[in-house]
């Protein structure tokens, strides 16, 4: 998406004014603003470090973050993935942060697919499977996706004896509506707060205050809305095309069987 939104374009003043008004009531948990601001490596690293806590020791330096990061497979038979915020660090570890305001739209099998897609994209042709990097996925939802009433749940593979499986893949589910204490509670409250003056987390406060006073944020959100709308249309078209191909194959098989019966 970053390539698309850097193209020079003209904007209608009424559209910019409308988006500016929308921006004033947005928090970091709102999708368009999340995509606009999480490209900041400092903000991305901060959110990541607060959530993963002790696992910070595995992190290298993050210099670039891609938002609405596309992982596209060559065939229509495979579902294209767009990761909200994606980065790799100086050690080769990969990180992914997803913001979903409607928990029902983020079922655990969708998370599984996102993790698998990021693994596939990380492995170059000819690389051995040992080259698959450590991956950490943060899934923020405004609701209790797992039904355990916890603010944060870490998911990892273990054997039936309780030992770590060792595949170095970690998922953190963050329920933003659950009570949380300390730095995590401050982070969640700050991500939900639209007024920079009321934000407790100093990093988020600074980023949001700057963004809300910057015309470039308005233009970024305008472009993000355009890209997301385009992606929705493309997904609808591809779904219809795939369905048509499947129907065509089924119809062709049926006709072939009918012809074969006639010959018999």
């Amino acid at each position: 998406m970053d390539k698309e939104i850097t193209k020079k374009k003209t904007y209608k003043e009424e559209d910019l004014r409308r988006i500016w008004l929308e921006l004033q009531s947005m928090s970091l948990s709102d999708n368009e603003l999340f995509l606009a601001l999480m490209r900041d490596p400092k903000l991305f690293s901060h959110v990541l470090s607060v959530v993963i806590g002790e696992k910070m020791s595995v992190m290298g330096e993050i210099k670039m973050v891609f938002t609405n990061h596309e992982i596209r497979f060559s065939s229509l038979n495979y579902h294209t993935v767009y990761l909200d915020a994606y980065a790799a660090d100086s050690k080769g570890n990969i990180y992914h942060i997803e913001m979903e305001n409607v928990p029902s739209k983020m079922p655990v099998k969708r998370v599984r697919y996102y993790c698998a897609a990021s693994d596939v994209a990380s492995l170059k042709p000819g690389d051995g499977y040992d080259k698959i990097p450590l991956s950490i996925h943060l899934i923020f939802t405004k609701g209790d996706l797992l039904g355990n009433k916890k603010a944060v749940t870490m998911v990892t593979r273990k054997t039936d004896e309780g030992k770590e499986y060792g595949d170095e893949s970690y998922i953190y589910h963050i329920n933003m509506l659950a009570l949380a204490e300390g730095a995590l509670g401050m982070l969640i409250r700050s991500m939900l707060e639209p007024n920079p003056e009321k934000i407790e987390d100093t990093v988020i406060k600074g980023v949001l205050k700057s963004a809300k006073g910057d015309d470039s944020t308005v233009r970024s959100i305008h472009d993000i809305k355009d890209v997301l709308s385009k992606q929705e249309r493309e997904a609808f078209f591809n779904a219809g095309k795939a369905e048509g191909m499947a129907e065509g194959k089924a119809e062709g098989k049926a006709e072939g069987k009918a012809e074969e019966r006639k010959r018999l």
Side-chain angles (χ1 to χ4, degrees):
M1 184 180 70
D2 294 290
K3 291 181 180 179
E4 294 187 52
I5 66 176
T6 53
K7 293 178 181 178
K8 290 184 178 180
K9 60 185 295 185
T10 57
Y11 302 90
K12 294 181 180 179
E13 284 299 321
E14 58 267 31
D15 289 341
L16 295 180
R17 177 64 181 172
R18 172 179 51 81
I19 292 172
W20 184 86
L21 291 172
E22 289 178 9
L23 173 61
Q24 304 317 305
S25 61
M26 285 183 179
S27 71
L28 188 57
S29 66
D30 287 294
N31 188 242
E32 289 92 350
L33 188 57
F34 182 86
L35 295 178
L37 300 186
M38 287 303 289
R39 284 175 286 175
D40 179 352
K42 180 181 177 182
L43 177 60
F44 184 96
S45 299
H46 174 66
V47 171
L48 188 65
S49 64
V50 171
V51 175
I52 69 175
E54 61 187 29
K55 285 197 177 294
M56 279 181 61
S57 60
V58 306
M59 290 177 61
E61 184 181 5
I62 294 174
K63 294 184 177 181
M64 185 175 293
V65 180
F66 301 93
T67 58
N68 199 34
H69 180 61
E70 180 184 35
I71 300 177
R72 181 184 292 271
F73 300 102
S74 59
S75 171
L76 277 174
N77 294 325
Y78 300 97
H79 199 294
T80 298
V81 167
Y82 296 97
L83 305 180
D84 282 352
Y86 175 90
D89 68 15
S90 56
K91 296 181 179 179
N93 303 319
I94 59 175
Y95 308 96
H96 158 223
I97 304 178
E98 199 76 15
M99 177 62 68
E100 180 54 70
N101 288 310
V102 183
S104 62
K105 290 186 178 180
M106 185 54 71
V108 292
K109 285 196 175 181
R110 179 178 170 187
V111 177
R112 173 184 168 184
Y113 190 77
Y114 280 14
C115 296
S118 64
D119 281 345
V120 171
S122 71
L123 201 63
K124 297 177 182 178
D127 281 350
Y129 294 114
D130 61 315
K131 297 293 185 181
I132 296 175
L134 176 146
S135 65
I136 295 178
H137 306 263
L138 272 53
I139 313 298
F140 285 88
T141 56
K142 288 182 180 176
D144 193 357
L145 179 65
L146 301 180
N148 61 9
K149 299 181 180 179
K150 292 176 62 177
V152 177
T153 302
M154 188 185 81
V155 180
T156 185
R157 290 184 177 91
K158 292 187 176 182
T159 68
D160 57 5
E161 298 170 333
K163 295 181 180 179
E164 289 286 341
Y165 190 55
D167 61 348
E168 295 188 311
S169 178
Y170 306 91
I171 301 167
Y172 291 78
H173 284 278
I174 302 97
N175 175 6
M176 301 183 77
L177 300 186
L179 292 176
E181 299 178 350
L184 177 64
M186 186 185 298
L187 177 81
I188 292 174
R189 291 190 298 273
S190 298
M191 293 178 79
L192 292 169
E193 176 56 59
N195 184 352
E197 299 305 323
K198 295 182 179 180
I199 289 177
E200 305 166 74
D201 185 294
T202 56
V203 174
I204 295 178
K205 181 186 184 76
V207 171
L208 200 65
K209 188 173 184 178
S210 175
K212 293 207 173 189
D214 190 345
D215 289 342
S216 67
T217 308
V218 176
R219 292 190 292 272
S220 290
I221 291 175
H222 181 289
D223 295 337
I224 287 166
K225 285 178 178 287
D226 284 349
V227 171
L228 294 179
S229 178
K230 178 182 176 182
Q231 288 172 356
E232 287 179 3
R233 293 194 301 271
E234 184 182 72
F236 182 79
F237 171 78
N238 286 340
K241 190 172 181 179
E243 183 179 349
M245 290 171 63
E247 289 177 352
K249 288 181 180 179
E251 186 176 329
K253 286 182 180 179
E255 289 177 356
K257 289 181 179 179
E259 288 296 323
E260 186 176 346
R261 284 195 295 270
K262 285 181 181 178
R263 288 195 298 269
L264 294 176

